[in-house]
Amino acid sequence: MKKIMLATLFVVTVFFAQSQRAVPTDNPLRDWMDTIVQNAVLPFMQDTSRVGLSIGIVNNGNSYFYNYGTLEKGTRKLPTNETIYEIGSVSKTFTGLLLAHAIIDRKIKLDNDIGQYLHGRYPNLSYQGQPIKIGHLVNHTSGLPPFLPHRPDLFQHAKDSVAFLLAKLHAAYTKALFLRDLHHVTLDTIPGFNYRYSNTAAQTLGFILERVYNTRFEELVKRYISDPLSMKQSPAFIRSPNTWLAKGHDAKGNIMPYMPALMKASGGLCSSTSDMVRYIKLQLQEENKVVALSHMPTQRYTDSTAIGFFWRINRVNNKFDKLWHTGGTFGFSSYCVVYPDTKTGIILLSNEFDEASQGGLIQIADKIFASACGTAGGISPQ
């Protein structure tokens, strides 16, 4: 049966190779996993707006890496597993892991009013006497706006210019200005009930972590995550000229500005598939009390859907949990998914963003997992 499946996958791969445009890749097409990845990726990469894609897969301690496309539109510079991408809102899972450390270190309590951890008074961060709590920040029920500064008017400009206007706005936007604007936020609902995705919430949590540890956010990432995991490119990487940093693109191939450095906690971290595979291996270790806490549901919607410390959680076929998060910046798309029960995880990093790119990455990961799924719900051994 397995030989028949592999033969079928090989025929499909040959069909794609002969009927579709050539896509640069380092996929050797030597074994079952290579073929599964090839068939999952090629439909995505056939879209002419796509630029580059790097993939890392973990299963039962084994790691697999694949790269497609280019570092920059119009060139044939194939990315590698060391190529650095913006990971967008996947950064929030790092912030959630740091929160778990802070709770275990007895620096923060999940049910406490966030005002206890901010310098000065914030009476505006409550509604009808109900304050925003730490847990509300990680499950997007705080009621805080999507971004600070809150400038919805910018999105009325031509679509191609919005990213550059936002980048210019944030270039001079400091922590002090963020906290000033936080003082002027007005809530319109009781925290803890209505879902409203908020980068402001994640960024506020980042500043709270800095205050309780009296340490910069990037140093906390190094102390608790990147250094212990020997991540070669620190996820708190600050943008500067670097040969390993991919260029971000929009759907038209225009090179996009990088995310503001201030937004590390909410969406501004960078990493490579090599480093993210190390991160995934940590996230699969639910015997680790910090990891387990960061996966704890803080808001349940149904018996099979919830949110942990920023992680989306789905119960699949009532058998195993799927934890995932997407990421999107001006010019990058990402998707990270882990299945702790099956010791499987996948990271996809792309240097192109459009309205369909994140959904496309999810489809790739789902196809890889489904095609390689064994009877126990994990990826089959060779």
Side-chain angles (χ1 to χ4, degrees), residues 58-366:
V58 176
N59 177 247
N60 290 324
N62 297 314
S63 303
Y64 308 85
F65 296 96
Y66 303 92
N67 298 279
Y68 291 82
T70 179
L71 290 171
E72 183 177 351
K73 196 85 168 180
T75 74
R76 294 184 65 85
K77 299 176 182 178
L78 186 71
T80 74
N81 61 333
E82 303 293 337
T83 297
I84 300 171
Y85 296 78
E86 290 184 339
I87 64 173
S89 286
V90 175
S91 306
K92 291 181 175 67
T93 69
F94 285 75
T95 305
L97 191 63
L98 292 177
L99 172 60
H101 276 286
I103 291 171
I104 289 174
D105 289 343
R106 299 183 178 181
K107 300 280 189 180
I108 295 177
K109 290 185 178 180
L110 198 63
D111 290 330
N112 278 358
D113 178 345
I114 66 171
Q116 296 182 35
Y117 307 103
L118 293 168
H119 181 71
R121 295 182 65 254
Y122 287 82
N124 60 308
L125 299 184
S126 65
Y127 186 84
Q128 295 183 355
Q130 299 296 313
I132 299 173
K133 298 179 180 180
I134 294 293
H136 301 151
L137 298 179
V138 297
N139 59 35
H140 299 291
T141 62
S142 67
L144 292 172
F147 292 97
L148 285 182
H150 188 48
R151 289 287 304 278
D153 58 293
L154 291 181
F155 293 90
Q156 304 304 314
H157 289 76
K159 191 173 181 179
D160 290 349
S161 66
V162 171
F164 295 93
L165 291 171
L166 287 171
K168 183 178 180 180
L169 175 66
H170 283 91
Y173 197 61
T174 63
K175 178 178 178 179
L177 291 174
F178 178 97
L179 295 175
R180 179 204 65 187
D181 290 344
L182 191 63
H183 272 289
H184 297 290
V185 168
T186 301
L187 301 186
D188 59 9
T189 187
I190 295 175
F193 289 92
N194 295 331
Y195 177 90
R196 183 187 298 169
Y197 192 86
S198 176
N199 290 287
T200 301
Q203 196 58 55
T204 299
L205 179 57
F207 292 142
I208 286 172
L209 288 165
E210 288 187 335
R211 187 159 191 264
V212 299
Y213 279 106
N214 194 29
T215 304
R216 292 189 307 162
F217 182 81
E218 52 265 40
E219 292 302 319
L220 292 174
V221 173
K222 289 183 63 178
R223 179 190 303 176
Y224 287 107
I225 304 175
S226 60
D227 282 356
L229 296 179
S230 299
M231 298 172 82
K232 295 178 182 178
Q233 292 89 23
S234 168
F237 172 85
I238 299 175
R239 291 143 196 81
S240 61
N242 188 298
T243 57
W244 295 108
L245 180 61
K247 293 184 181 297
H249 300 72
D250 67 4
K252 295 181 179 179
N254 299 312
I255 294 177
M256 293 285 99
Y258 292 118
M259 286 290 285
L262 182 71
M263 299 181 68
K264 292 185 181 71
S266 60
L269 299 188
C270 297
S271 196
S272 64
T273 53
S274 177
D275 278 357
M276 287 301 294
V277 157
R278 293 179 171 88
Y279 181 67
I280 284 173
K281 287 180 178 179
L282 172 66
Q283 292 291 342
L284 294 175
Q285 297 173 17
E286 288 202 315
E287 65 277 10
N288 182 316
K289 62 181 181 180
V290 178
V291 172
L293 178 58
S294 73
H295 293 178
M296 181 189 75
T298 58
Q299 182 87 341
R300 285 197 176 275
Y301 296 103
T302 68
D303 290 342
S304 60
T305 59
I307 298 182
F309 285 23
F310 294 114
W311 286 106
R312 303 307 202 273
I313 305 170
N314 297 106
R315 188 71 178 168
V316 181
N317 299 327
N318 204 30
K319 291 181 178 179
F320 49 85
D321 285 336
K322 169 184 178 180
L323 291 87
W324 58 274
H325 211 296
T326 57
T329 64
F330 299 137
F332 293 84
S333 306
S334 60
Y335 180 58
C336 184
V337 58
V338 294
Y339 300 85
D341 300 304
T342 67
K343 298 300 181 184
T344 301
I346 303 171
I347 178 67
L348 298 103
L349 302 175
S350 169
N351 58 333
E352 185 267 333
F353 176 82
D354 60 57
E355 293 179 354
S357 55
Q358 290 171 303
L361 297 183
I362 293 173
Q363 289 180 359
I364 292 172
D366 286 349

